[in-house]
Amino acid sequence: MSIADVTREHRKFVVAPIDPSDLVSRAKALLDVPVTAATMPEFVRDVNEVAVDFSELEAGLTRAMDEDTADEVAKAAFLDFVTNHVPELATLRTALERKQLAVSDFVPPPDLANHWADMRVSVELFREENLPLEAEVAALGQAHGEVSGSLRVELDGETLTLGQANAKLESPYRALRERAYHAIEAGREAIRPQLDEIFAKLVPLRKRIARGAGMADFREYAWLQAKRREYTPQDVLAMHESVAKEVVPRLRAVYERRARLLGLERLRPWDLDCDVHGREALAPFASVEELDEGLARMFSALDGELAQAYELLRGGWMDLEPRPTKVPGLGYQNYFPRSQRPYVYWSAVGTDDDLLTMRHEAGHAFHSVLTQSRWPLLAHRSERPEMCELASQAMELLTLPYLGRDKGGFYSQEDAARSQAALLVRALSLLVSASKVDAIQHFVYTHPGEDGPTIEEIDAEWRRLGERFDLGIDMTGFDRLRSKSWHIIHLFHYPFYYIEYAMAYLGALQVWRNAQQDAPRALRQYKAALALGGTLPLDELYEAAGIRFAFDERTVASLSQLAVDALGDEA
């Protein structure tokens, strides 16, 4: 029996009855309120109340749409919101930001200094004429979700979701893995023309948005929009080089050892996720309820405060059952600020990767809850992915000692060691894949063409990057995949959001190294950094966690070697 056979019937999420027109009226009323340095704190609180309801509505509409991509009512409600209401609300938000910044004698308190700097950037980038373009981008994002949600995998007479098919790649039976891989590739190939069409529309829109804001290219625009003040595009391009030099050879060696253990001359793409000693795939849970209960035990063993934070996800604030109409491969944590609840979306099918993903998303939830508990405003929350992903990826590593059943977890000690090795290989692999994904975006968004590169040019550049970051996997017969595996969700929805995963893993490995020396202290520092939200610059938040925000060649080399040394004989 598969996990899909024992999942609960899905209950449709009910979006909070917040009227977007009322949000517009409230924002307009605030524009008429006189503001001085003395009254600024009260004005900031009033602005926050509107922002809280906007975020609650946006999160609810997104959740309703993602939980059932075939729900035409949910899709229409989301599109109405982003097309007919968000542009006006965005204009009003910028007007309110200008109103606050115009009070020249107001000095923001230290905990809002970062927010004030962010507002200046937002005001600098805002152009009313870009709002219709941004609405088009949002609609294309919805279209991407709908197309991705239609992906089906036909394998051995069964129709599977992507998650269910991916689970077959962990089987000890190589013939099954190969059939599964070919079936997944066939499913992806069926929707690639539609994805190409969507992306070919997205790139010119983004270039027009950048030009409209007075930027040389979309990369410059995205850099400012992401509030990246600590590093430049050139710094990141240097990071790509460091990863190619220091991580790729180490990971190639890991894969060469995997091939020897499997008795293979060379790995094929369906040989990367199975156990190197021929054991059955890890199966930590058989139902979503079992996953939930085991996570609650693990977090209770780790830390009482984090266990209480996890309780806020229970009772309807997680959607983990796999369903055909969910977006395949999509997992995220969102925050409902009026409800004061984190929410996690994923499709769990019973694998070790599901368990890892849930620890990751729980880390995001803990970040939300710890910040909420300390600070009163949404402006205090961190929106920097480099910090948000540190919260999630460090939690993946901090929970490693609690994977065993004797600590409340899911595994025997032998299987816990397997799970740890899989995570460390994943971290190394992500350093490489994040560099590739980031590099293709530098190519796309600095391209001199009026509408950017053609799809064929993107495919060719992706193949070139595959050679640059080659890990020695035999991809014979998969020319289309070698050209098209840039079709990941981030490029469609979150441009230039991916390298942060690599940066954060470098931070998370430092947290893990600290925990190996003094686990209670490392956990205290981790929690303290999360509770700071976005009240400090990024490098100071990392310092609060007891680590450095760094991705130079020496740091990349030492931390990738730390991961390799901890693999033992399990990878």
Side-chain angles (χ1 to χ4, degrees):
M1 178 180 290
S2 72
I3 191 171
D5 299 321
V6 295
T7 51
R8 301 181 295 255
E9 181 181 351
H10 177 63
R11 291 188 296 178
K12 192 177 296 291
F13 176 72
V14 178
V15 181
I18 298 170
D19 185 352
S21 299
D22 179 59
L23 296 178
V24 169
S25 299
R26 289 162 61 189
K28 286 181 176 179
L30 286 171
L31 285 176
D32 294 331
V33 174
V35 183
T36 66
T39 62
M40 182 66 78
E42 180 182 357
F43 186 78
V44 168
R45 288 192 294 271
D46 291 340
V47 170
N48 181 72
E49 286 301 301
V50 178
V52 164
D53 283 338
F54 173 87
S55 297
E56 183 86 5
L57 178 58
E58 183 179 46
L61 291 169
T62 302
R63 174 178 176 176
M65 179 182 64
D66 287 345
E67 289 191 351
D68 185 359
T69 60
D71 186 335
E72 293 297 328
V73 174
K75 178 172 71 173
F78 176 83
L79 288 176
D80 175 69
F81 179 64
V82 300
T83 303
N84 298 322
H85 300 287
V86 168
E88 184 174 13
L89 287 165
T91 301
L92 290 167
R93 180 190 62 209
T94 301
L96 289 167
E97 289 174 340
R98 286 198 178 103
K99 188 179 182 74
Q100 294 168 81
L101 293 170
V103 183
S104 58
D105 59 337
F106 175 73
V107 179
D111 55 283
L112 287 177
N114 252 8
H115 174 61
W116 239 250
D118 289 348
M119 283 200 298
R120 291 189 184 94
V121 172
S122 297
V123 166
E124 177 187 348
L125 288 178
F126 179 80
R127 299 292 188 279
E128 191 164 356
E129 57 269 28
N130 275 341
L131 293 175
L133 302 178
E134 291 168 0
E136 287 186 60
V137 167
L140 287 169
Q142 185 279 328
H144 172 268
E146 189 173 350
V147 171
S148 297
S150 70
L151 191 152
R152 300 289 182 272
V153 179
E154 302 294 333
L155 177 63
D156 295 344
E158 288 186 275
T159 301
L160 305 178
T161 66
L162 181 61
Q164 291 165 336
N166 279 331
K168 306 293 185 184
L169 299 176
E170 299 180 16
S171 169
Y173 305 106
R174 196 175 192 224
L176 172 59
R177 299 198 306 270
E178 182 175 0
R179 292 198 306 275
Y181 196 88
H182 280 276
I184 291 167
E185 173 60 9
R188 291 192 184 280
E189 180 62 25
I191 65 172
R192 279 173 181 150
Q194 294 166 277
L195 297 182
D196 279 342
E197 184 179 347
I198 291 170
F199 198 71
K201 294 175 180 177
L202 278 170
V203 173
L205 284 170
R206 287 170 176 160
K207 288 175 75 72
R208 286 172 62 191
I209 288 169
R211 288 196 298 267
M215 302 289 121
D217 53 47
F218 184 75
R219 181 178 70 178
E220 182 182 0
Y221 178 90
W223 227 260
L224 282 172
Q225 188 180 46
K227 317 299 191 298
R228 293 176 173 175
R229 292 185 277 268
E230 298 82 4
Y231 57 94
T232 68
Q234 289 66 39
D235 292 330
V236 175
L237 294 174
M239 179 183 177
H240 300 170
E241 289 297 325
S242 296
V243 169
K245 179 180 178 181
E246 298 295 344
V247 183
V248 167
R250 288 178 169 87
L251 189 52
R252 282 183 69 106
V254 169
Y255 283 158
E256 288 167 2
R257 180 175 184 273
R258 164 175 278 270
R260 290 194 299 273
L261 289 170
L262 290 171
L264 302 173
E265 184 176 336
R266 200 166 189 198
L267 293 179
R268 297 287 277 158
W270 48 83
D271 297 321
L272 303 183
D273 298 319
C274 62
D275 181 68
V276 292
H277 299 297
R279 293 165 292 194
E280 290 287 344
L282 293 171
F285 57 93
S287 69
V288 165
E289 290 83 0
E290 190 178 335
L291 170 62
D292 177 25
E293 292 165 4
L295 287 167
R297 291 193 306 270
M298 284 181 65
F299 293 130
S300 293
L302 174 65
D303 181 76
E305 185 178 16
L306 297 183
Q308 290 179 354
Y310 181 74
E311 288 299 315
L312 294 175
L313 285 167
R314 309 180 85 182
W317 292 93
M318 294 185 282
D319 180 21
L320 307 182
E321 289 84 3
R323 296 187 299 279
T325 55
K326 292 177 74 174
V327 182
L330 178 62
Y332 62 81
Q333 182 266 172
N334 208 345
Y335 186 65
F336 287 71
R338 183 62 68 195
S339 302
Q340 295 194 329
R341 291 275 189 157
Y343 161 73
V344 168
Y345 177 94
W346 180 242
S347 298
V349 295
T351 66
D352 182 64
D353 187 62
D354 293 327
L355 177 55
L356 174 62
T357 297
M358 285 306 300
R359 283 147 48 210
H360 177 104
E361 300 303 342
H364 283 308
F366 298 156
H367 196 187
S368 296
V369 173
L370 290 173
T371 302
Q372 161 205 302
S373 299
R374 180 169 177 182
W375 304 101
L377 306 174
L378 282 183
H380 286 121
R381 289 170 50 81
S382 176
E383 296 184 355
R384 294 294 301 272
E386 302 93 333
M387 185 60 203
C388 296
E389 298 305 337
L390 175 69
S392 59
Q393 292 169 344
M395 183 49 54
E396 297 172 10
L397 292 157
L398 288 170
T399 47
L400 286 177
Y402 302 91
L403 289 176
R405 294 190 192 96
D406 59 330
K407 296 290 183 65
F410 296 79
Y411 292 133
S412 66
Q413 288 304 307
E414 177 182 311
D415 285 349
R418 292 171 62 188
S419 181
Q420 173 173 305
L423 168 54
L424 295 174
V425 172
R426 173 192 173 116
L428 292 168
S429 178
L430 191 140
L431 288 170
V432 176
S433 62
S435 297
K436 280 181 63 180
V437 169
D438 190 64
I440 195 68
Q441 295 186 88
H442 286 262
F443 170 78
V444 169
Y445 292 116
T446 61
H447 191 279
E450 180 73 14
D451 292 331
T454 65
I455 294 298
E456 292 73 21
E457 288 172 325
I458 297 172
D459 291 346
E461 178 65 13
W462 186 250
R463 289 193 298 272
R464 190 191 69 77
L465 288 169
E467 295 171 0
R468 178 184 178 192
F469 293 97
D470 179 33
L471 296 173
I473 311 302
D474 183 357
M475 299 298 295
T476 302
F478 290 97
D479 290 343
R480 285 284 290 171
L481 177 62
R482 291 175 58 244
S483 298
K484 292 294 184 186
S485 52
W486 57 267
H487 276 178
I488 66 169
I489 191 169
H490 293 72
L491 268 71
F492 291 85
H493 292 259
Y494 318 110
F496 278 104
Y497 183 169
Y498 211 78
I499 195 65
E500 295 93 338
Y501 290 112
M503 294 173 176
Y505 255 135
L506 294 174
L509 286 166
Q510 293 178 69
V511 171
W512 185 51
R513 183 171 60 192
N514 291 346
Q516 292 172 327
Q517 298 166 0
D518 188 339
R521 184 169 184 264
L523 182 60
R524 284 196 306 272
Q525 291 175 319
Y526 165 82
K527 289 170 56 180
L530 267 56
L532 287 168
T535 62
L536 292 176
L538 186 61
D539 50 355
E540 293 182 34
L541 291 173
Y542 269 57
E543 288 173 14
I547 59 179
R548 293 172 57 244
F549 180 67
F551 44 85
D552 57 278
E553 184 176 313
R554 182 177 178 183
T555 297
V556 170
S558 65
L559 292 171
S560 56
Q561 190 60 46
L562 172 71
V564 169
D565 290 342
L567 290 175
D569 62 354
E570 292 294 348

